[in-house]
Amino acid sequence: MFRFVLVGLGALLLAPLWLPVLVERRLIRERWFAGSSELLSLMPGKLGVFLRRSFYRMTLDRCGIDVHIGFGTTLAHTNVRVGSGVYIGNRCTLGMCVLEDHVTIGSNVDLLSGRRQHHFDDATPVQLQGGSFTSVRVGRNAWIGNSAVIMADIGDAAVIGAGAVVVQGIPARAVAAGNPATVKSVRVAA
């Protein structure tokens, strides 16, 4: 109960940041959201975790009451769902994604909005060619090691090794590592 009161107070305190995001979402632009995410990522310690949690509960499609979003971590889009008990380490970048309950993400992880965010078909500058964004799902109780790059879905209870580059889906309970990430073993069901 106390946590709900504190997060509510934090949300009220941060209303000048999240109210424009709600208006902006209706206009299909996310510049204010991205700027607010960057600003709040710089708040250190428990206060920073608390303020980020309060802000994201007001702006994301879903955000658990007990999430930990570390220092330097930014989110690029509002259409993100973060389940309960999720831990996101320091200096991560998250695109469009669904993080199921109890996902653990190490530091310096890049979770992209799929593999085709940028087209590079012709001589037109890449930044002007557009791309397609897709939501990447990380299954319940999955663990992603430090400095991994995630571009495809990860199954429930999977483990992704540090520095891995996930370009193809990883099945449930798999342990994957490498660039590109390949399944090395399968975890035994508990």
Side-chain angles (χ1 to χ4, degrees):
M1 179 66 176
F2 185 66
R3 181 176 286 167
F4 285 102
V5 171
L6 282 178
V7 170
L9 288 173
L12 186 61
L13 175 70
L14 296 173
L17 291 179
W18 61 261
L19 277 173
V21 171
L22 296 182
V23 172
E24 183 178 56
R25 276 186 90 171
R26 299 203 185 272
L27 300 174
I28 323 240
R29 293 197 171 121
E30 295 182 329
R31 290 183 192 130
W32 186 267
F33 173 79
S36 297
S37 178
E38 291 166 1
L39 176 67
L40 289 172
S41 78
L42 300 175
M43 301 293 282
K46 288 186 178 192
L47 176 62
V49 170
F50 167 74
L51 292 175
R52 285 185 287 279
R53 178 187 305 145
S54 297
F55 174 73
Y56 291 128
R57 282 190 54 82
M58 298 305 298
T59 57
L60 299 180
D61 287 347
R62 178 175 184 255
C63 184
I65 190 77
D66 56 350
V67 302
H68 174 101
I69 300 173
F71 177 81
T73 293
T74 58
L75 281 72
H77 304 281
T78 56
N79 46 348
V80 170
R81 292 185 308 186
V82 180
S84 297
V86 170
Y87 178 93
I88 303 168
N90 295 340
R91 297 173 307 280
C92 295
T93 303
L94 278 65
M96 292 171 45
C97 61
V98 174
L99 305 178
E100 301 289 348
D101 294 345
H102 303 288
V103 165
T104 301
I105 299 176
S107 296
N108 302 304
V109 170
D110 292 321
L111 206 157
L112 307 180
S113 301
R115 292 179 54 192
R116 294 179 171 71
Q117 292 185 149
H118 302 284
H119 294 287
F120 46 91
D121 301 328
D122 55 38
T124 306
V126 172
Q127 293 177 2
L128 303 177
Q129 290 191 39
S132 54
F133 291 72
T134 58
S135 185
V136 171
R137 178 189 173 273
V138 179
R140 180 179 179 81
N141 196 31
W143 176 22
I144 301 172
N146 286 10
S147 301
V149 178
I150 310 299
M151 295 181 256
D153 292 348
I154 297 171
D156 293 349
V159 175
I160 307 300
V165 178
V166 176
V167 295
Q168 299 292 329
I170 302 296
R173 295 190 328 276
V175 177
N179 179 6
T182 57
V183 175
K184 306 297 183 186
S185 64
V186 177
R187 295 175 67 190
V188 177

